[in-house]
DNA sequence: CTGAAAGCGCTTACAG
DNA sequence: CTGAAAGCGCTTACAG
């Protein structure tokens, strides 16, 4: 394409030229050492005399040398890329986590390669293959549907950090969030406000987060001596339409309820809209509490009470755990626990 | 790390083994041809006899060979990676575009490498460097703040597809959206509903989209014979808080207005919240129209009237334009034009 | 039409 | 402590 530079041209005595990026070899030439030495200094792989080190560092600075990650990947097996299996690249919930990963990795020279698994084990397996063929140094799996076993097997070949479950295996770190406690807190909040008939819009039952949140709901009811009423539990699928439909079903059932706890904010917002359509006001007629604390929930009408999930921190922690794992350190920081954010969609039961 | 496979082990007579991915060389051996031939078949680089072609394809299928993109990148300069400079990995607007890019690229074997420019020219330049050092085959730039000149220069080295502006240069394709017409349509909608005092919450003035939408607003007013009142135009910065604050300023100015056109949905939602706080109802007291049609706008209370921007299609088109550009074809499909989506936040002026 | 050979830009045993 | 050499897995002139 570019006729001016022949990629096959032999080496010149003086390697420096405007055309083409500066190579490690050019640095070696300029510093009067061998390429091996430059490589070692770059990677901190061996002790090198201060003198040569200085010379090489100067040459690097002067030439503006940036190692080629592609060549590095081929030769050494390290690409400074971390694969990230997210469920949808445009997920409002995982967005913050992706940003956290990016923020953590960027200053360390790592790049994230984001791929979407679409909540589908087969697609996620394909993602793993794609990422491995790209020679990523490690893979961060944001929840997803891969089995524990699949993940463990995978971790034998490539370091894994997985969120949304607790799992012990070599080469693998898991980072879980306490969804049970979150569900409990949300329900307790409503109970504290005097509500006795609390509906629950549940998430996808084969999603672990969903079952944990339901368990939390039940635990809070039980602790308060309130009967669990299966008719007040409506299945949903974690999206807005689920919330809307759930309200319709709830209303049609003619069961009395003064509050709704939705297993995520998207369903909560859908529920609020459903109530609005039936001319029921939030929180005057019905209190609503969500789960996740999406960025947009702060600006819902009314601003949504919810359980804050530290998605951004989750991303940062996952990324830093990965980087440490690559360095052979399996320690991980604790993820902040669930926290109730009481805003305007929930209030004390009148009368 | 893995003591079982020595990376430096010599080649065995029979290349096939369970350990390590299958290489092109193994395919060549199995098919009884040279590696060059396999490579040529893979890349469609030269005419090869049907016989050998068949043998190679069988061997590929049998061994489950997948070319190593890293090696490919080093040797041939093609990595099957497309860099994507987005402004924030968790942007609610660009999310759909990223998904469109992913959906278009995935079946073609390309991967997207997403990096965030944060609406900052210097950061975006760094992104370009990062992407080039990773040897991406091309770069898709989603709007951003790079100058036309910077982009043109860049396009001399690497194919570029840029959105959000119109620019002609070799090695570069631009995909623009008609923000002027969008702004005009939104305003016209409000005028059609009988509104005469229409406030405008503008976007960041050094953002081209913002100035175009403002121009559209003015054009519609003018066409309707309505005076432009600078006091009714409040600067914003494209986020929710801007909208909230703008409403405060508008109300404090004591200027009469019956409708608000916000230059994006996030500000529109903020404005609705601001009105809600002052006990003004939407649309009974004030009509509100946004711009973008974010996924969440469908579920705002009330569902937001807005100008639909085809973000997903934008992503798909940008990606397919890039792939064709890489094949030497500069043709591009047209992006759908702006479309008004009238929902429940706007209504006919009473009285 | 097809192979042998050189090369992409690094890393890493191996041997001082 | 440091170099020469081989190798990572491909591609592509070059020469039949």
């Amino acid at each position: 394409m570019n006729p001016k530079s022949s990629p096959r041209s032999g080496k010149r005595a003086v390697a420096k030229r405007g055309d083409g990026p500066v190579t490690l070899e050019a640095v070696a030439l300029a510093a009067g050492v061998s390429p091996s030495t430059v490589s070692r200094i770059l990677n901190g792989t061996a002790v090198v005399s201060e003198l040569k080190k200085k010379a090489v560092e100067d040459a690097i600075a002067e030439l503006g040398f940036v190692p080629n990650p592609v060549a590095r990947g081929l030769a050494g097996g390290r690409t400074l890329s971390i694969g990230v299996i997210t469920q949808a690249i445009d997920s409002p919930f995982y967005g913050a986590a992706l940003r956290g990963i990016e923020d953590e990795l960027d200053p360390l020279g790592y790049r994230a390669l984001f791929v979407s698994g679409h909540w589908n084990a087969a697609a996620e397996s394909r993602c793993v293959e794609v990422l491995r063929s790209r020679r990523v140094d490690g893979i961060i799996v944001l929840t997803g549907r891969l089995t524990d076993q699949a993940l463990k097997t995978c971790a034998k070949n490539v370091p894994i950090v997985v969120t949304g479950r607790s799992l012990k295996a070599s080469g693998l770190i898991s980072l879980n969030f306490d969804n049970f406690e979150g569900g409990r807190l949300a329900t307790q909040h409503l109970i504290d406000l005097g509500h006795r008939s609390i509906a629950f819009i549940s998430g996808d039952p084969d999603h672990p987060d969903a079952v944990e949140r339901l368990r939390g709901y039940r635990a809070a009811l039980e602790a308060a001596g309130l009967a669990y009423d299966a008719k007040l539990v409506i299945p949903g699928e974690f999206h807005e339409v689920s919330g809307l439909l759930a309200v319709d079903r709830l209303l049609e059932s003619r069961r009395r309820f003064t509050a709704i706890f939705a297993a995520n904010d998207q369903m909560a917002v859908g529920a609020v809209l459903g109530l609005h359509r039936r001319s029921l006001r939030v929180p005057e007629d019905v209190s609503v509490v969500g789960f996740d604390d999406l960025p947009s929930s702060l600006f819902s009408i009314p601003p949504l009470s919810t359980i804050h999930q530290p998605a951004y921190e989750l991303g940062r922690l996952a990324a830093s755990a990965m980087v440490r794992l690559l360095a052979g350190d399996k320690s991980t920081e604790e993820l902040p626990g669930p926290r109730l954010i009481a805003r305007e969609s929930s209030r004390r039961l009148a009368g």
Side-chain angles (χ1 to χ4, degrees), chain A:
Chain A
M1 270 195 169
N2 184 346
K4 280 176 190 152
S5 80
S6 156
R8 292 288 176 274
S9 60
K11 296 157 204 164
R12 266 160 262 114
V14 178
K16 176 79 161 88
R17 264 305 312 281
D19 53 347
V22 184
T23 66
L24 178 145
E25 192 169 5
V27 172
L29 223 54
V33 300
S34 75
S36 324
T37 299
V38 177
S39 173
R40 286 184 189 111
I41 289 171
L42 241 36
N43 297 292
T45 277
V47 197
V48 169
S49 79
E50 278 307 317
L51 253 165
K52 302 209 168 180
K53 192 165 179 177
K54 177 83 173 68
V56 167
E57 280 165 354
D58 287 351
I60 288 175
E62 194 193 332
L63 299 180
F65 170 65
V66 180
N68 178 337
V70 177
R72 240 173 167 163
L74 226 209
R78 294 182 64 209
T79 53
L80 293 182
S81 307
I82 304 294
V84 178
I85 302 183
T86 182
Q87 297 309 318
I89 188 71
D90 59 342
S91 154
F93 175 68
Y94 286 111
L98 304 188
R99 191 160 45 80
I101 291 172
E102 197 182 47
D103 286 355
E104 184 72 27
L105 255 26
D106 182 65
L108 302 174
Y110 281 90
R111 299 300 140 202
L113 189 50
F114 298 112
V115 293
S116 301
H118 307 292
W119 293 112
N120 171 169
E124 289 171 46
S125 289
R126 273 196 48 231
C127 287
V128 171
E129 285 316 305
V130 163
L131 293 174
R132 292 207 55 200
S133 89
R134 299 252 158 191
R135 302 298 189 273
V136 294
D137 296 340
I139 298 182
I140 294 173
V141 181
L142 297 176
T143 313
R145 293 236 157 96
L146 289 171
T147 62
D148 287 357
Q149 191 48 55
L151 246 12
K152 281 185 189 176
T153 305
C154 205
K156 287 178 185 156
N157 298 309
V158 57
I160 303 268
V161 172
V162 59
T163 71
R165 68 182 94 188
S166 297
L167 191 58
K168 298 241 173 275
S170 73
L172 182 151
I173 290 176
S174 66
L175 238 43
N176 207 175
F177 179 73
D178 194 342
N179 285 287
F180 169 78
E181 174 64 7
R184 208 191 57 72
L185 274 177
T187 312
Q188 186 61 48
H189 167 64
L190 261 3
I191 292 171
D192 290 344
L193 292 175
H195 295 277
R196 293 289 169 266
S197 308
I198 304 171
F200 180 60
I201 307 177
S202 132
D204 191 332
D206 57 58
H207 192 122
D209 293 2
V211 323
E212 285 299 290
R213 291 171 199 177
L214 174 56
R215 272 188 57 225
Y217 164 77
R218 297 189 66 154
L221 291 183
E222 188 169 349
L226 297 174
Y228 171 79
D229 179 356
K231 296 274 196 235
L232 283 179
V233 174
I234 311 289
E237 292 172 46
F238 280 139
H239 53 237
E240 290 84 352
V241 175
S242 293
L244 198 73
L245 263 31
V247 163
D248 289 347
R249 288 188 47 185
L250 235 22
L251 259 16
E252 279 154 21
S253 80
R254 313 216 121 275
R255 216 76 170 184
R256 172 191 150 80
F257 63 93
T258 62
I260 296 176
F261 166 34
N264 78 356
D265 282 1
Q266 286 172 267
M267 294 194 296
V269 163
V272 173
L273 182 57
L275 293 165
H276 177 77
R277 291 241 182 284
R278 306 286 195 123
S279 300
L280 288 165
R281 291 159 308 161
V282 175
E284 292 82 353
D285 300 316
V286 179
S287 283
V288 174
V289 175
F291 200 114
D292 281 350
D293 194 19
L294 296 186
S296 59
S297 297
L298 183 53
F299 299 98
S300 315
I301 309 290
L304 190 66
S305 296
T306 189
I307 298 296
H308 179 73
Q309 265 209 83
Y312 178 77
E313 291 81 356
L314 177 74
R316 290 203 75 128
L317 286 184
S320 72
M322 174 56 80
V323 171
R324 272 174 296 149
L325 183 57
L326 292 173
D329 172 7
K330 273 206 72 167
S331 73
T332 89
E333 287 169 67
E334 271 301 297
L335 197 61
R339 199 154 46 87
L340 174 82
I341 311 284
R343 289 198 277 245
E344 299 164 40
S345 65
S346 56
R347 72 151 61 158
R348 178 157 293 282
L349 183 62

